[in-house]
Amino acid sequence: MAIILGIESSCDDTSAAVIRDTELLSNVIASQKVHEKYGGVVPELASRAHQQNIIPVVDTALKEANTEVRDLDAIAFTLAPGLLGSLLVGTCFAKGFAASAQIAMIEVNHLHGHILSHFIREPGGRNSHPDFPFLCLLVSGGHTQIIMVKNHLDFEILGETIDDAAGEAFDKCAKVMGLPYPGGPVIDALAKEGDEKAFAFAKPRVAGLNYSFSGLKTSFLYFLRDRVKEDARFIENHRADLCASLQYTIIAVLMDKLVKASKTTGVKQIATAGGVSANSGLAKALLETGEKHGWQVYIPPRKFTTDNAAMIAVAGYYKYREGKTCGLDVSPNVKLS
Ligand code: KG4
Ligand code: ZN
């Protein structure tokens, strides 16, 4: 049995979690409100907020888990990818903590964390998870990938975005409509009141299993610019329809390649991960498409779709089990290693 403290600080959420093997004992998240007025994450402000939050967040996570520092076997932390200043706070904290508590350090790739969020066991929760191999549609603010997950530590990227991520498309289009950041959940809520067929936006044509979202963002921008010239209140008057149509297009693009990936690999265990997998339209599309193609669909509980340390702790556990610890010489990496 291993008790692991997980730390996540790659972007704008400071989070700490404690797990016993894969059983979650606590998961504390401090979200940073400071970025809202800028319409996006400001890296320098994010790292400063992480510095303020990290000690209280860890303290609360240990207390909620009824765990003392001496009970811990290891500390798992996000080393890459993410914002450098943000990653540095978590990494430096983990180094100091590991050295003083004399416990092992495990570096975790943030994206592995998102994928392995399916293996977090919650006391009294629904603890089903996909069987290997499964396909994971990883859709977040920074990444959009289709990944073949062969086991807890073996991943193969089958396709990915060549420009913007799906979450970025949500956020940037929301900004154009004057909606607050992050735009994904706001568009999701407004789309429920709108007609998804009200407006049609061109879907990108990209080879293989890769994605592209920058063209959609640009065509959305030009479309609005032209309409607003004719009617200054166009956005206000059509907000719900715009959100529904945009969301419909993003989901259609995501689903098209996912169906293709399942057909080419023959894999029908299908999972999602990352912030955008909280989208209600995507969940509906997955379940409907899954029914048609005989998929078994796994969508993580909402609280584990956006950034959290529980997923980092569980990914750390699977590495710890294999003796994959790291030394004090590791440094954060902005890009995927
Ligand atoms: O995984 P995540 O918390 O952070 C990254 O690693 O990027 O994902 C954040 C992204 C943001 O782009 C946000 O707008 C999007 O997830 N998101 C959503 C929804 N909830 C969060 N996008 C669409 N619908 C949602 N309900
Ligand atoms: Zn993330």
Side-chain angles (χ1 to χ4, degrees):
M1 191 194 70
I3 299 185
I4 297 176
L5 171 66
I7 304 287
E8 158 61 29
S9 75
S10 65
C11 189
D12 60 340
D13 293 301
T14 321
S15 180
V18 180
I19 55 165
R20 187 194 294 123
D21 293 347
T22 58
E23 186 191 0
L24 187 63
L25 303 182
S26 68
N27 184 35
V28 178
I29 304 170
S31 297
Q32 304 178 0
K33 299 280 170 236
V34 62
H35 310 286
E36 277 169 15
K37 63 173 179 281
Y38 301 101
V41 177
V42 184
E44 181 55 33
L45 296 180
S47 53
R48 281 190 223 166
H50 282 307
Q51 283 178 324
Q52 284 169 353
N53 293 342
I54 194 142
I55 291 174
V57 162
V58 169
D59 195 42
T60 310
L62 288 171
K63 285 195 178 113
E64 283 185 9
N66 226 342
T67 301
E68 302 286 338
V69 173
R70 64 171 176 273
D71 302 329
L72 295 171
D73 295 289
I75 181 165
F77 62 98
T78 306
L79 187 71
L83 300 170
L84 185 60
S86 293
L87 291 166
L88 267 169
V89 177
T91 303
C92 291
F93 177 86
K95 287 181 184 180
F97 193 97
S100 74
Q102 300 201 313
I103 56 173
M105 270 169 55
I106 309 153
E107 50 110 339
V108 172
N109 178 308
H110 181 78
L111 304 182
H112 292 178
H114 272 302
I115 295 167
L116 295 181
S117 63
H118 287 278
F119 296 89
I120 300 166
R121 284 192 308 121
E122 279 192 282
R126 211 171 40 98
N127 294 310
S128 65
H129 57 74
D131 295 325
F132 300 116
F134 66 90
L135 294 180
C136 186
L137 175 68
L138 174 59
V139 269
S140 72
H143 297 87
T144 300
Q145 299 180 327
I146 298 176
I147 299 160
M148 170 85 93
V149 186
K150 298 173 187 170
N151 62 46
H152 294 114
L153 299 178
D154 191 358
F155 310 88
E156 185 190 344
I157 298 171
L158 303 181
E160 62 188 328
T161 182
I162 57 168
D163 42 56
D164 289 353
E168 223 173 330
F170 272 107
D171 296 341
K172 287 181 176 169
C173 292
K175 197 171 176 179
V176 174
M177 287 188 279
L179 298 174
Y181 175 85
V186 184
I187 290 182
D188 191 359
L190 285 166
K192 293 196 172 95
E193 313 293 323
D195 174 7
E196 62 188 23
K197 298 282 170 59
F199 306 106
F201 303 109
K203 297 193 188 95
R205 284 164 207 246
V206 188
L209 297 174
N210 285 338
Y211 288 112
S212 165
F213 286 101
S214 74
L216 174 62
K217 175 193 69 191
T218 313
S219 73
F220 188 71
L221 180 71
Y222 289 160
F223 170 82
L224 286 185
R225 197 187 54 184
D226 293 345
R227 294 298 180 101
V228 167
K229 266 189 210 153
E230 295 159 12
D231 168 11
R233 296 175 61 85
F234 179 79
I235 296 177
E236 287 166 74
N237 292 340
H238 298 89
R239 199 160 266 158
D241 285 348
L242 284 167
C243 289
S245 303
L246 176 71
Q247 179 167 299
Y248 174 83
T249 312
I250 295 175
I251 293 170
V253 173
L254 289 172
M255 292 306 299
D256 182 47
K257 296 292 171 91
L258 190 58
V259 169
K260 204 168 174 183
S262 171
K263 280 192 180 151
T264 44
T265 58
V267 175
K268 291 180 183 235
Q269 293 275 310
I270 309 288
T272 59
V276 182
S277 54
N279 185 271
S280 59
L282 179 60
K284 193 163 156 263
L286 277 161
L287 295 172
E288 282 171 9
T289 312
E291 189 132 331
K292 201 162 120 201
H293 295 282
W295 292 353
Q296 253 181 307
V297 173
Y298 298 87
I299 301 167
R302 186 171 287 258
K303 60 181 175 228
F304 300 138
T305 58
T306 43
D307 291 347
N308 66 87
M311 68 186 196
I312 302 303
V314 92
Y317 164 75
Y318 287 109
K319 289 186 85 171
Y320 184 73
R321 234 177 35 163
E322 304 291 322
K324 293 184 184 298
T325 57
C326 68
L328 288 168
D329 55 340
V330 291
S331 22
N333 193 341
V334 176
K335 296 234 160 65
L336 194 55
S337 49

